[in-house]
Amino acid sequence: MGDRTKHLAVGLYVLWGLLHAGLGASMVVSDLANGAPTGETAAESLLYFIAVTVLGFQAIYVALTLTRTNSPAGFWLNTVVLGVIDAAFVGYLVLPGHVDLLGGIAGPVIWLAATVCAAKALQKQRKGRLPQREAPLSTT
């Protein structure tokens, strides 16, 4: 069960990364199609999509190198970094209605499922490493 949940976590984090890297890269290309942005809002949009692309690749890298080996550092990197990003995305873009609800919650739902699977795999690993408790010595 631990290996299966670990592999599922890796797959889900890679899916999250592909979704974000793909969308981000396509938006960067679209934003730059007519040259460098001239207005502040357009420049901020371009910067946002560059960051989304980089975070997508970071999620993939961490999943394939650290989550795959059940590393606690990998767990915390993808849990905290991607979680903060998704929480801000939902709070500032989805809830106010700038992004449609169904499209907007896909990433956070994938992140949540990946994080639950990674936590379960890490928990299984820790349980396997803990030494068995010895029975207390009898005083009689």
Side-chain angles (χ1 to χ4, degrees):
M1 176 79 170
D3 269 355
R4 219 178 308 162
T5 52
K6 176 180 67 175
H7 294 305
L8 186 55
V10 170
L12 288 167
Y13 280 133
V14 168
L15 178 61
W16 189 98
L18 289 171
L19 175 71
H20 288 76
L23 175 66
S26 71
M27 295 303 290
V28 167
V29 168
S30 175
D31 283 354
L32 292 175
N34 296 324
T38 55
E40 183 178 351
T41 303
E44 288 173 354
S45 174
L46 176 61
L47 179 62
Y48 170 79
F49 286 115
I50 290 170
V52 166
T53 305
V54 170
L55 287 167
F57 286 119
Q58 179 244 303
I60 294 168
Y61 180 79
V62 169
L64 294 176
T65 59
L66 297 173
T67 305
R68 184 181 59 80
T69 62
N70 238 6
S71 162
F75 171 79
W76 287 110
L77 268 171
N78 272 348
T79 296
V80 174
V81 173
L82 307 183
V84 168
I85 294 305
D86 275 349
F89 176 75
V90 169
Y92 295 114
L93 294 175
V94 176
L95 292 179
H98 302 297
V99 175
D100 69 287
L101 182 62
L102 288 179
I105 63 168
V109 167
I110 293 168
W111 167 83
L112 182 60
T115 300
V116 167
C117 289
K120 286 184 183 235
L122 204 54
Q123 182 182 33
K124 292 264 187 201
Q125 176 181 318
R126 284 187 186 155
K127 282 184 180 178
R129 285 188 181 170
L130 293 177
Q132 293 279 339
R133 292 182 71 180
E134 293 181 17
L137 295 174
S138 174
T139 57
T140 57

